[in-house]
Every structure is written in structure tokens, then in C-alpha cells.
Amino acid sequence: MDKTSLANYPAHTYKDNQVSIQLNCRGASEYTKISFPVKYGLFSRIETREVIFEFNLNHEIKHAKSKAAEWIHPSEWLKRTMGNDWVYYSTGGYAGVVESIGEYYLPNLMYQTNSLLGGKPFETAEVAKISKNWHKIFSKINTSKTMPPAITQWIEKIKQFKPGDLTQKAEQLFGISGARTTVLPPDARHSDYDIIPLTIQDGCLYKCRFCKIKNKKPFIERSRQDIKNQILALKSLYARDLTNYNAIFLGEHDGLNAAMDLILYAAITAHEEFGFDTAYMKKPMLYFFGSVDALLNADERLFERLNELPFHTCINIGLESADDKTLSILGKPVSAQNVKKAFERMQAINQNFEQIEMSCNFVMDRDLPASHNRTMLELLRGRDRTSAKGSVYLSPLQFGNPSREVLFDFYHLKSQSRLPMFLYIIQRL
Ligand code: SF4
């Protein structure tokens, strides 16, 4: 975004002994990994003696925290997603969080997931109060005659925007593609999960028995017209706040299995329509999932073309296991031999294409045969050197069951891997 466009977001500040307000704060314009809280994009902030709330350019609440002594930690905060979930970002005491998930802050979710870390922040009174009653708290803030008109108007607009409107907006978002995004790729952490969901295909190829996020839809591609319609509807829904986005998730569960031309069409059209060239947030990112067969069948030209796009592309492949016995237990209809071939192709792509990162997932569970970890480590160690590119994500099979023992297993496996290894926390939009 150049200086002329930034002039559309003039900074205004106001302070009295009750409240401090800053409109159009300029947050970081690139996602970063750092051990203190960073806010991204253009946003506005209000601070009282009790709370700090931050709002996006559509006057929708984005972040919130309490200043009460009962708040778990002063460096922790709540973030509201476009799907209208609250996520509590905790430090996890820092120790172990960055090694486990590759990020300095741990997202604690309101719903059951497979995370091995974190507590139950939503069960604490202060977090529950802020996430449920932020609008009531905000409504008590009075405008005063000494406030500049821009500040008064901003307060009034936020008061008009009721929590029910945010629920409705999330429903509109899900309605654009026809379904909620039930799982985001683990690599979306590089954009703090601030992605715009664009569905280029529905369903998946395998319908694996173990999978908790699958749906009944067979794999089917969307038409170009459908994709264009989604893009235009998303552009209108994200509206003024679009400038705070630079990342797209091409859903649903096997974007890589879609035709090369369709993938490229979706990425290029979204980039143009969303104005990523001039967005406040820099360095556009493109995320999607892929299956073993999609990767083995993918035309090499797809990667050549993706590498030339103005995106850094992360493709996450669900390998799950390199062991036939485990694949059969999981009910995943692929062979260990093809999993190994897919893994080798991922490494070649990571080496040959600077703007593409292929990552993969393996499951982890104490009840799986010993051959699962052994064959996985044979792949991850069967390389003559370590590499910083091509993360391997381990996904615990159990939901709602944080476990120290499984976490210990994870660290043990990580210490033996020659590729970066992290836990996959399954998160929805
Ligand atoms: S793991 Fe992937 S391919 Fe298997 S059922 Fe789930 S979404 Fe489909």
C-alpha cells in the first residue's frame, strides 16, 4: 500500500481519564515469528481501565484482553476469527511452545481438537466474560463533547454492530462456498490463520476411516464461474478489511487434485480481485492440501507455474503413514510404496522450486504398530543432510485428550528428524 492509499486511513487519537482511543493504527505488514505479541494490519484500538479491544477496518472486533488481575497473563489475548470463533493465544510459559508448533503463541480453541498442549482458558471467568460480553462492556463507553467527530462516529458504528451481526456475517462467509472450512492446513500458521477461503473442489478421494474432518462429498471440481462468483462475494464480504489480508486457502480437502488450469485460474483471479499487489499486508501466501495420488499424478508444469506466481505457495500432503499395516488400520486406501514415492517427490519440489514449500502430515498415536514410527523415521532420516524447508506435522489421532506421554513421544521423534517437525493442531475457520 502506497502513501496515497494510506491517506484513506488517517490516524486519530483521543485520551481522557476514562478512555484512550487510536484509530487506524499501523500494525506489522508482514507476518513474523517473535516472542512478544505483534498485531498485524490496519486496526483501531480502545483502552479503558478494565479492557483493551481492537477492531478491524469494518468495525468488527478482532482482539480483546482484560487488564484485571484475574486475566491469565498480561501478554496473552483473545482473537476473533472470520468464522466468529474466539481463539485464546497463550504463551504456554514459552517453554516448549515454539519447539512444538513453530510459533511463539499457542492457539487455544473453543472447541475440541487434537492439541496436546494448553489449558482451558475459556473456563476461566475473565476470559469467558470478555469473549461473551465484550459488546456490553463496549456499550458502556460514552462519547463526550470533547471527542473529535471521527472518534465519536467510530464508537457509534461499533455500538450499532451487535454480536448477532457477527454471527450472521460468519454464516454469510460459510454460505459463499456452501460450507464452513472445517480444517485449515497446518502451514496457515505462517499467516496467523488469517486466510481467505476459496473452494475450488469439494470432498476428497479416499474417505479414510480414521479421519474426523471428512465429509460425504465425492471429489468434484468447481467451475470457473463458481470460483469467480465466490471471489466477488468474498471481496464484498471482506470489504474495507481486505487490505489486511494477503493469504488464500484453496479448499477443500484436495486442492492439488484439481486441474492445473483451475488451480492457477483461482490463484491469479483472487490475487487480482483482492488487490494483493497493493494490500497493506505484504508477501502473498497460497495454501492448499493435496493427497498422495494427486501429488504422484501432478504435472511438473504446475509447480513451474506456481513458482512464477506472486505467491509463496505451501502445499500440505496427508501422508499419514509409510507403513502398510498402519495404513490399513487407518482405513487409508494408499500403499506405503506410494507414500514413499510421494515423499520423495515432495523433497525434489522443495529443492527445485524456491517459492513452493511442500509439507506433510503423519498421524501419531500410542496404539499404532511400532512399524509406523520406524518407517516414518526411515523416510525422515534417509537423507544425507538436514533441511529447513518441508515441515513434517504430526497429528495426534485423539481429540480432546492432551497427553504428556504423547508429547514426550513427539519430542523423541522430533529429535531424530532431519526435517523440521511440529505438532498439527487442527483448526477451523
Ligand atoms: S484424511 Fe484426507 S483423504 Fe482421508 S478422509 Fe480425511 S480429508 Fe479425505
Side-chain angles (χ1 to χ4, degrees):
M1 183 181 273
D2 59 27
K3 281 191 180 144
T4 345
S5 323
L6 269 172
N8 296 328
Y9 305 93
H12 294 278
T13 56
Y14 173 81
K15 194 170 173 82
D16 61 25
N17 57 4
Q18 302 291 326
V19 69
S20 158
I21 298 172
Q22 294 164 276
L23 301 193
N24 298 324
C25 305
R26 293 176 189 179
S29 60
E30 281 181 28
Y31 291 99
T32 175
K33 301 192 193 297
I34 205 155
S35 64
F36 58 85
V38 183
K39 299 295 163 53
Y40 300 103
L42 295 168
F43 63 93
S44 298
R45 172 188 285 143
I46 187 160
E47 179 167 0
T48 68
R49 287 188 189 141
E50 293 82 29
V51 294
I52 300 175
F53 292 154
E54 288 167 353
F55 296 83
N56 68 17
L57 295 175
N58 294 331
H59 303 99
E60 298 152 354
I61 192 156
K62 183 87 185 174
H63 300 113
K65 65 183 274 191
S66 163
K67 290 162 78 179
E70 296 76 29
W71 189 252
I72 304 168
H73 190 284
S75 298
E76 300 181 347
W77 70 96
L78 280 161
K79 173 179 171 182
R80 197 186 63 86
T81 69
M82 276 297 279
N84 204 28
D85 283 328
W86 284 103
V87 181
Y88 183 86
Y89 279 79
S90 68
T91 62
Y94 293 117
V97 169
V98 72
E99 289 80 4
S100 309
I101 63 167
E103 303 296 316
Y104 283 91
Y105 286 89
L106 175 72
N108 293 263
L109 308 173
M110 299 165 74
Y111 45 90
Q112 250 196 14
T113 183
N114 61 347
S115 182
L116 297 177
L117 301 154
K120 294 185 173 166
F122 290 96
E123 292 181 9
T124 67
E126 203 59 21
V127 173
K129 183 178 104 184
I130 298 287
S131 56
K132 287 187 188 139
N133 298 325
W134 68 269
H135 196 265
K136 275 191 197 147
I137 299 168
F138 190 91
S139 302
K140 289 185 190 141
I141 297 168
N142 293 319
T143 52
S144 86
K145 286 192 181 135
T146 56
M147 285 178 175
I151 299 272
T152 319
Q153 283 161 17
W154 180 80
I155 293 177
E156 291 305 336
K157 276 197 180 145
I158 288 168
K159 283 187 180 174
Q160 282 163 21
F161 220 108
K162 302 281 186 317
D165 297 327
L166 295 174
T167 315
Q168 212 182 350
K169 188 154 180 184
E171 293 299 333
Q172 279 173 7
L173 173 68
F174 308 150
I176 289 174
S177 68
R180 179 172 208 164
T181 301
T182 52
V183 58
L184 291 167
D187 307 298
R189 66 190 175 89
H190 300 309
S191 302
D192 201 20
Y193 300 95
D194 285 332
I195 54 86
I196 301 179
L198 175 60
T199 300
I200 62 167
Q201 55 77 215
D202 293 285
C204 65
L205 294 177
Y206 305 139
K207 308 297 172 203
C208 316
R209 200 167 46 242
F210 81 98
C211 175
K212 293 194 174 65
I213 52 98
K214 64 179 176 281
N215 53 38
K216 293 203 169 100
K217 292 180 255 179
F219 177 91
I220 188 156
E221 282 178 3
R222 296 285 179 104
S223 66
R224 282 187 178 216
Q225 189 58 52
D226 179 282
I227 292 169
K228 183 75 190 255
N229 292 346
Q230 287 182 63
I231 291 173
L232 297 179
L234 289 162
K235 191 173 167 182
S236 152
L237 189 88
Y238 281 73
R240 267 170 69 85
D241 205 42
L242 201 50
T243 198
N244 284 328
Y245 288 81
N246 68 355
I248 301 169
F249 165 53
L250 297 181
E252 195 173 38
H253 298 150
D254 195 354
L256 184 60
N257 200 49
M260 171 169 74
D261 288 350
L262 197 72
I263 297 172
L264 296 168
Y265 169 79
I268 294 166
T269 312
H271 189 277
E272 278 170 16
E273 289 290 343
F274 294 155
F276 280 174
D277 258 352
T278 53
Y280 183 82
M281 293 304 294
K282 306 292 173 225
K283 298 198 177 167
M285 299 289 289
L286 184 66
Y287 300 102
F288 50 102
F289 286 114
S291 61
V292 168
D293 282 279
L295 178 57
L296 293 179
N297 296 328
D299 189 324
E300 188 72 2
R301 285 172 304 169
L302 170 66
F303 304 103
E304 290 165 8
R305 298 282 305 278
L306 285 171
N307 201 47
E308 289 162 1
L309 294 185
F311 285 102
H312 185 80
T313 298
C314 294
I315 309 171
N316 178 255
I317 308 294
L319 298 180
E320 324 306 355
S321 182
D323 171 43
D324 279 320
K325 203 168 156 193
T326 306
L327 288 164
S328 157
I329 293 169
L330 296 173
K332 190 169 187 94
V334 296
S335 67
Q337 196 188 12
N338 277 353
V339 167
K340 289 172 193 163
K341 276 193 207 158
F343 182 82
E344 292 313 325
R345 188 159 193 208
M346 286 173 48
Q347 307 318 309
I349 293 165
N350 279 338
Q351 215 166 13
N352 295 338
F353 300 102
E354 204 185 331
Q355 291 307 320
I356 302 177
E357 177 159 7
M358 306 284 307
S359 66
C360 65
N361 305 329
F362 283 91
V363 294
M364 72 179 300
D365 193 88
R366 294 208 131 189
D367 291 339
L368 291 174
S371 47
H372 169 60
N373 284 351
R374 181 172 46 72
T375 50
M376 177 177 71
L377 285 173
E378 276 167 15
L379 277 186
L380 306 187
R381 294 186 58 75
R383 319 164 38 80
D384 44 13
R385 61 193 166 89
T386 57
S387 167
K389 199 177 174 195
S391 294
V392 175
Y393 293 94
L394 295 195
S395 185
L397 280 181
Q398 308 231 3
F399 272 49
N401 192 17
S403 156
R404 274 174 186 274
E405 289 78 20
V406 183
L407 192 58
F408 180 81
D409 292 347
F410 163 75
Y411 283 126
H412 186 60
L413 292 165
K414 183 180 169 87
S415 68
Q416 298 172 76
S417 174
R418 291 197 173 132
L419 289 169
M421 182 181 274
F422 302 107
L423 287 169
Y424 182 6
I425 301 175
I426 291 183
Q427 192 165 335
R428 70 187 182 190
L429 183 64

